[in-house]
């Protein structure tokens, strides 16, 4: 007999199981445990379920729940019996329940590790991914409670539920017994289940942003009765942009007789509007926003843009108001942009939405722009407009309480109208997720990021996210590892965006320079060298060069197989009267466009000095060109990604084509791609797996070439943008064949033994602050992963030192290990190559006389290692960025000059190889100035082993191997410090949930 809740062990309400989730259609819902207060909600929910769904749930007609049923389904102990509900507007739309069972299928308690699970979803909400989201969360709850398997009985006709189990990605078994399908699911996450989960997350979050950017109707709440004010300005901008949907003005202060305002229907509340309102722009004082949100939620609004200020930017009280705003909106299934937002723009011809404070809607283009600052958003819109660049979409998120840069990346990845994603970020709410999404997006289209608030050590007002403790240089390195183009200023972001949106990617770093100014050509040449490019000697066309000369020279450079990109420099012509002629920009632009259109596909940039109309003429097509026709997948996604070199052929999911493939001469800019091959992407109704790695991307089709040549007023800016394109193209080529973790690591590591050791060292009640390991403990743990640490023996007096040396064998080293002297050979605390007892005793006496008593110095004796290069290898867990692997040369290079490289864990063989080669002092490892090259393969193996240790055991929060002496043959780890702590939470590995900022 099933134990009653009253007899079960009492467990407190598990509020950490509560979560907001995005459903398949982009709406939000809340998942939470069912409590005893939910009886009425459960009955109401059940009454709205069809008889067919009830039959599938109970295998018999079951028109209503008895009092006993209601009591059973609302009383749980949260250990052996758990129920979760999905709610919208406080009402249930779906439920799931598990009951722990024994091998005979009878009710049981721990240590039984199997549970029977059952779902019920309201018919009106079936097809929205409710059951899939519930399965993710109930599986996570079950694992937390020690349950390893789910058993389910499903009628054969219940295809939807069978499909939910089948597509989840878990290892499962299926049999047909007594007229029903018996399913058993192993709840241990698999690569397949994680890929399915992330694929669903991507589509849902992309759809949630798409609903905001492409509404069928917009209501501006807070529209002023007189011209001016925020609401009236947004209404005016909506109308000026030619929004294709329905527009409404809403203000509770409107006179009852007011029917229209600025030609649109005027209403006192949303309830007066007879039609569906998809998007509401809220521009009322903060104290009135909750009323407006409730009005929106009760009338089915899908999303909100909150322009109102007075939230987290005002301090702790405002932050709580902001959190309550998000809770309220999500309870109705709505997502929020803002508060304190500048607005959103979508230039698609079918939408033409300008729900922002920008007075002029930007031209239509291929750049997507996200910013966390209204002021920066204004500057970027203005800068792009001056440069003749168009946008596909624009989001200014303000305090970013809900919709974030991660959501924008999800949308940009899917959006066929966006070729380049530009993001101005002041904080990263979920850095691990950002890195994962950026890596996937960058594999198909460029992602350019400016990170504000880099050095303050705090978050900007209104941004309640973890503060990263790692240096900004580390953040930059990790972004680049993910393929992100990290630049320092918004000007550089625009410069790079213009080049990437209008030109193919370069196949390499070789740059041809041509122009009519020798001096400007030399400046460009020097800038190329400074940026790591390989410029050819500038070609001087002389000041007498005509536009036709430019055209011929550019065509020749593009046809030259020894160059990968061309930078054209131009100054005004000098006329016969000695005066500069600045008005021939249009003629020169036409000549350059003609040469680019007729030659092989290579990127071209122009540096000009005071040539009137040139920049505008070169950029004209970027704002007037028709949208590209691109084949789409069955899910509506482009079958080829933008931004890769012209002529790249579509690739399969296992062999993507990287950048650098050239098209035949004359192909670029003369015709649109006619590729019609469709690539299917599974949806929840057909999906099995979806990978998120760059290798599973398709190759890009070329950007249109005519008229899209970017122009720059300074050589340095053009070269810097070209250098970023070169580095990004190289990353794309490498991402096409991602690195691997060598199989030998599986054979030479003792993961179970390390786990048991860590459990023993931490104890049953570990200190949340963690604990450092002793030298011997660290040696034992590292040894489990094949990382030997040379032993040291304490030497509290000369006799102990001599005994230690005799045990270890001469020659030996004498070291002080006091914290203030550790690794400080320059202070005299390290004596090397002590070959006998006399030398050791002399060294001991000198050190103690110079630096202090042995009790203060903590001297140790260690056998000498083979000579080599001293390096330092570290791994640490950052609260914001995750696990980071670092490498540098020991001493001044890393400590004084900051010459340290970083990669995210887990590291692949390629990451390890790049890590040791990316520091500036890397030549020291490879035979600099005639020295013997050291054993870099052994160093790469060490990096991989340490990465594997930290990845396998999140309790290892920091490791420092210093020094690691790398010799021509092999290496020696002379010192190691390890710190253990209870593992930090990993929200990126759990079930889908929206963050709560």
């Amino acid at each position: 007999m099933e134990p009653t809740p009253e007899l079960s062990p009492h467990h407190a309400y598990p509020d950490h199981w509560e979560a907001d989730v995005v459903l398949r259609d982009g709406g939000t819902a809340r998942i939470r445990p069912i409590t005893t207060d939910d009886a009425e909600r459960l009955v109401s929910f059940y009454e709205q379920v069809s008889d067919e769904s009830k039959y599938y749930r109970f295998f018999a007609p079951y028109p209503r729940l008895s009092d006993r049923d209601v009591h059973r389904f609302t009383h749980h102990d949260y250990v052996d019996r758990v129920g979760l509900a999905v709610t919208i507007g406080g009402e249930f739309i779906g439920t799931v329940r598990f009951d722990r069972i024994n091998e005979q299928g009878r009710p049981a308690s721990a240590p039984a590790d199997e549970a029977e699970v059952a779902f019920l979803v309201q018919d009106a909400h079936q097809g929205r991914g409710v059951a899939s989201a519930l399965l993710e969360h109930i599986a996570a709850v079950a694992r937390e409670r020690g349950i390893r398997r789910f058993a389910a009985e499903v009628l054969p006709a219940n295809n939807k539920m069978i499909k939910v189990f089948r597509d989840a990605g878990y290892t499962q078994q299926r049999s047909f017994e007594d007229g029903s399908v018996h399913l058993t699911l192993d709840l241990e996450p698999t690569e397949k289940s994680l890929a399915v989960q992330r694929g669903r997350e991507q589509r849902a979050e992309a759809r949630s942003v798409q609903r905001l950017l492409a509404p069928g109707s917009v209501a501006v709440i807070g529209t002023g009765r007189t011209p001016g004010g925020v609401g009236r300005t947004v209404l005016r901008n909506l109308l000026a942009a030619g929004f294709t949907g329905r527009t409404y003005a809403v203000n509770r202060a409107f006179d009852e007789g007011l029917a229209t305002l600025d030609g649109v229907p005027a209403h006192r509340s949303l309830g007066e509007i007879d039609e569906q309102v998809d998007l509401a722009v809220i521009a009322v004082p903060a104290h009135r926003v909750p009323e407006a949100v409730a009005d929106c939620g009760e009338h089915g609004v899908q999303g909100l843009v909150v322009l109102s200020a007075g939230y987290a930017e005002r301090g702790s009280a405002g932050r709580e108001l902001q959190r309550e705003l998000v809770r309220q909106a999500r309870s109705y299934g709505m997502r929020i942009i803002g508060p304190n937002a500048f607005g959103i723009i979508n230039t698609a011809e079918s939408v033409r939405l300008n729900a922002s404070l920008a007075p002029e809607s930007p031209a239509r283009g291929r750049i997507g722009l996200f910013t966390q600052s209204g002021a920066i958003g204004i500057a970027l819109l203005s800068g792009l407009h001056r440069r003749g660049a168009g946008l596909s979409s624009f989001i200014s998120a303000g305090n970013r309480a809900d919709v974030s840069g991660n959501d924008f990346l999800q949308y940009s990845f899917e959006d066929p109208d966006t070729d380049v994603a530009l993001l101005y970020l002041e904080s990263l709410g979920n850095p691990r997720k950002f890195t994962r999404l950026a890596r996937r997006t960058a594999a198909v289209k460029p992602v350019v990021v400016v990170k504000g608030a880099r050095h303050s050590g705090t978050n900007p007002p209104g941004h309640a996210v973890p503060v990263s403790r790692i240096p900004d240089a580390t953040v930059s390195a990790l972004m680049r590892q993910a393929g992100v183009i990290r630049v320092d200023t918004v000007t550089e972001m625009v410069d790079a965006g213009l080049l990437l949106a209008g030109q193919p990617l370069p196949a390499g770093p070789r740059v041809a320079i041509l122009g009519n100014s020798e001096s400007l050509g030399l400046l460009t040449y020097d800038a190329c060298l400074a940026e790591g490019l390989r410029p050819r000697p500038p070609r001087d066309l002389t000041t007498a060069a005509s536009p036709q000369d430019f055209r011929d020279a550019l065509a020749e450079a593009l046809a030259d197989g020894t160059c990968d990109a061309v930078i054209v420099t131009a100054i005004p012509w000098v006329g016969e009267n000695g005066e500069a002629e600045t008005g021939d920009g249009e003629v020169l632009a036409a000549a350059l466009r003609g040469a680019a259109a007729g030659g092989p596909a290579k990127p071209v940039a122009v540096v000009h000095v005071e040539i009137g109309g040139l920049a505008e003429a070169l950029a004209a097509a970027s704002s007037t060109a028709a949208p590209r026709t691109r084949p789409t997948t069955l899910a509506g996604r482009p079958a080829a990604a933008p931004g890769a070199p012209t002529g790249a052929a579509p690739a399969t999911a296992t062999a993507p084509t990287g950048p650098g493939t050239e098209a035949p001469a004359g192909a670029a800019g003369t015709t649109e791609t006619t590729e019609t091959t469709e690539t299917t992407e599974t949806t929840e109704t057909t999906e099995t797996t979806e990978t998120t790695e760059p290798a599973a991307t398709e190759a890009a089709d070329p950007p249109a070439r005519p008229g899209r040549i970017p122009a720059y007023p300074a050589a340095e800016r053009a070269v810097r943008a070209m250098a970023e394109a070169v580095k990004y193209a190289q990353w794309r080529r490498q991402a096409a064949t991602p690195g691997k973790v060598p199989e030998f690591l599986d054979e030479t590591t003792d993961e179970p033994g390390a786990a048991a050791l860590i459990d023993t060292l931490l104890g049953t009640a570990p200190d949340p602050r963690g604990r450092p390991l002793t030298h011997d403990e660290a040696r034992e743990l590292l040894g489990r992963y094949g990382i030997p640490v040379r032993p040291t023996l304490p030497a509290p007096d000369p006799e102990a030192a001599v005994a230690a040396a005799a045990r270890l064998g001469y020659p030996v080293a004498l070291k002080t290990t006091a914290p203030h002297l550790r690794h400080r050979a320059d202070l005299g605390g390290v004596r090397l190559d002590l070959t006998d007892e006399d030398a050791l005793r002399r060294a001991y006496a000198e050190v103690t006389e110079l630096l202090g008593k042995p009790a203060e110095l903590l001297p140790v004796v260690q056998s000498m290692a083979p000579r080599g290069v001293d390096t330092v290898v570290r791994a640490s867990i950052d609260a914001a960025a995750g696990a980071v692997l670092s490498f540098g040369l020991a001493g001044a290079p890393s400590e004084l000059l900051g010459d340290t490289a970083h990669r995210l864990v887990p590291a692949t063989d390629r990451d390890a190889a790049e890590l040791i080669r990316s520091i500036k002092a890397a030549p020291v490892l490879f035979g600099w100035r005639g020295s013997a090259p050291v054993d870099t393969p052994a160093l790469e193996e060490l990096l991989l082993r340490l990465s594997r240790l930290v990845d396998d055991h999140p309790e290892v929060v920091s490791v420092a191997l210093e020094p690691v002496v790398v010799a021509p043959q092999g290496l020696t780890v002379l010192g190691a410090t390890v710190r253990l702590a209870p593992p930090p939470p990993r929200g990126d590995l759990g079930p889908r949930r929206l963050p709560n900022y």
Side-chain angles (χ1 to χ4, degrees), residues 342 371-381 396:
F342 185 72
T371 170
Q372 290 180 359
S373 164
I376 296 298
I378 295 171
L380 285 168
L381 289 175
S396 174

Side-chain angles (χ1 to χ4, degrees), residues 331-342:
S331 72
Y332 288 108
M334 300 182 294
R335 300 211 68 182
I336 294 178
I337 291 176
N340 197 24
F342 185 72

Side-chain angles (χ1 to χ4, degrees), residues 126-140:
Q126 292 179 10
R128 301 184 64 195
V130 175
S132 299
L134 277 173
L135 178 56
E136 289 179 21
H137 284 261
I138 198 69

Side-chain angles (χ1 to χ4, degrees), residues 612-831:
L614 176 61
E616 293 80 0
L618 287 171
S622 68
S623 60
T624 60
R628 273 175 265 180
T629 302
R630 196 187 318 277
T632 59
T633 68
L634 296 181
R637 207 180 80 198
T646 301
T652 67
T654 56
T657 302
T661 306
E662 292 186 354
T670 58
T671 61
E672 297 288 350
T673 179
T674 56
E675 179 64 53
T676 57
T677 302
E678 289 187 335
T679 304
T680 61
E681 175 181 309
T682 58
T683 65
E684 192 167 339
T685 59
T686 59
E687 71 191 344
T688 55
T689 64
E690 176 173 315
T691 182
T692 59
E693 292 302 312
T697 60
E698 300 128 334
D701 73 334
R705 284 288 297 274
R708 292 173 179 260
I709 301 174
Y712 303 87
E716 296 79 7
R717 290 172 56 180
V719 170
R720 192 173 295 118
M722 188 68 73
E724 295 294 353
V726 168
K727 287 182 282 190
Y728 170 67
Q730 181 182 14
W731 181 90
R732 281 276 292 270
R733 288 191 292 271
Q734 294 175 344
T737 53
K740 301 177 181 178
V741 177
E743 294 182 359
F744 70 81
L745 293 181
D746 295 327
E747 303 168 357
T748 57
T749 59
D750 181 9
E751 181 179 350
L757 178 60
I758 290 171
D759 289 342
T760 301
L761 294 173
L762 281 176
T764 56
D767 186 338
R769 296 170 298 179
R771 56 156 293 198
L773 300 189
T774 65
H775 175 75
D776 290 340
E777 290 171 342
R779 284 189 64 225
E780 183 179 0
L781 176 60
L782 293 168
R784 302 277 185 176
Y785 273 73
I787 303 174
V789 181
R790 184 151 293 207
T792 62
L793 297 177
D797 54 56
E799 300 306 321
V802 171
R807 179 177 174 185
L808 295 172
Y810 289 98
V812 297
L814 178 67
K815 302 179 181 181
T816 57
T817 61
H820 66 289
L821 295 173
R822 185 182 294 271
H823 309 307
R824 292 299 306 275
D826 56 315
L827 297 181
V830 178
R831 302 300 171 94

Side-chain angles (χ1 to χ4, degrees), residues 337-349:
I337 291 176
N340 197 24
F342 185 72
I344 61 176
I345 297 173
N346 184 352
T347 63
E349 186 63 27

